[in-house]
């Protein structure tokens, strides 16, 4: 019980920090993305994978419990029906299935995933940084309960965009 508690607390800290990181994050998925790999990937803003990538959360086969935060992240991304299918079946899904579910944004040739991730990062970096930061923050707020949203910060970040040299 102590080891499980320590593991869950540690992974929660990591996943929360990745999800809350103020800069855009890209998961570059090469090959298998299973269990904790999926949990980490869904904390990222964008997920790219290779054609032969495969995804699974085998918790039901292993008797593992998944808490609210992990299931909620997945359900926010792929919806409740696909979340249940992923967990209930514990089977592997190929890249095309993952794309249909919304688990990945784009599929690339296996040899091109790293280049695609770098090109995407450069494309994002070439855009207005205040706009990128505002969109990331506001999108995150849409995933919270209405009472927990920081609408003042959302408004301030949008205003900062219009007051910036990038806009002017």
């Amino acid at each position: 019980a102590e080891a499980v508690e320590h593991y869950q607390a540690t992974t929660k800290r990591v996943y929360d920090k990745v999800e809350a990181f103020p800069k855009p994050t890209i998961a570059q998925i090469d090959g298998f993305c299973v269990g904790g790999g999926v949990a980490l990937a869904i904390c990222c803003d964008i997920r790219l994978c290779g054609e032969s990538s495969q995804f699974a959360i085998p918790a039901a086969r292993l008797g593992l419990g998944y808490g609210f935060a992990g299931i909620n992240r997945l359900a926010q991304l792929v919806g409740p029906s696909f979340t249940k299918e992923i967990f209930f079946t514990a089977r592997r899904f190929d890249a095309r299935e993952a794309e249909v579910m919304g688990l990945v944004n784009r599929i690339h040739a296996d040899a091109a995933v790293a280049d695609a991730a770098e090109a995407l990062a450069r494309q994002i970096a070439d855009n207005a940084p205040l706009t990128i930061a505002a969109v990331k923050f506001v999108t995150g707020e849409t995933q919270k309960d209405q009472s927990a949203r920081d609408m003042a910060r959302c408004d301030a970040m949008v205003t900062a965009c219009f007051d910036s040299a990038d806009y002017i």
Side-chain angles (χ1 to χ4, degrees):
E2 188 176 301
V4 169
E5 185 178 326
H6 175 72
Y7 176 81
Q8 288 177 335
T10 301
T11 56
K12 181 182 181 333
R13 266 195 323 275
V14 171
Y15 298 151
D16 288 350
K17 285 181 185 254
V18 171
E19 185 175 49
F21 193 70
K23 304 286 185 187
T25 55
I26 301 168
Q28 175 189 317
I29 302 160
D30 296 305
F32 287 90
C33 186
V34 178
V38 173
L40 180 59
I42 65 175
C43 294
C44 294
D45 299 309
I46 299 170
R47 287 152 304 286
L48 308 178
C49 74
E51 294 169 325
S52 66
S53 292
Q54 294 187 32
F55 302 81
I57 301 178
R61 259 189 282 134
L62 302 172
L64 301 176
Y66 254 71
F68 178 84
I71 292 174
N72 185 54
R73 273 190 189 106
L74 185 61
Q76 292 286 340
L77 187 63
V78 303
S81 182
F82 281 131
T83 298
K84 290 174 187 175
E85 180 180 357
I86 290 167
F87 275 97
F88 291 172
T89 65
R91 75 176 180 88
R92 277 188 280 178
F93 297 88
D94 65 27
R96 294 282 171 227
E97 289 174 294
E99 184 180 43
V100 167
M101 292 177 182
L103 188 59
V104 298
N105 297 75
R106 302 272 181 261
I107 301 171
H108 298 277
D110 289 335
V113 179
D115 289 340
E118 185 173 336
L120 179 59
R122 289 183 191 284
Q123 185 178 20
I124 292 168
D126 286 343
N127 287 317
L130 293 177
T131 301
I132 298 298
V135 169
K136 176 150 180 165
F137 182 81
V138 173
T139 302
E141 294 300 290
T142 69
Q143 303 304 301
K144 295 178 180 177
D145 288 332
Q146 190 171 356
S147 64
R149 294 176 185 156
D150 187 345
M151 297 306 294
R153 184 165 176 207
C154 290
D155 293 343
M157 292 181 84
V158 170
T159 298
C161 292
F162 286 110
D163 290 342
S164 73
D166 287 330
Y167 177 69
I168 293 166

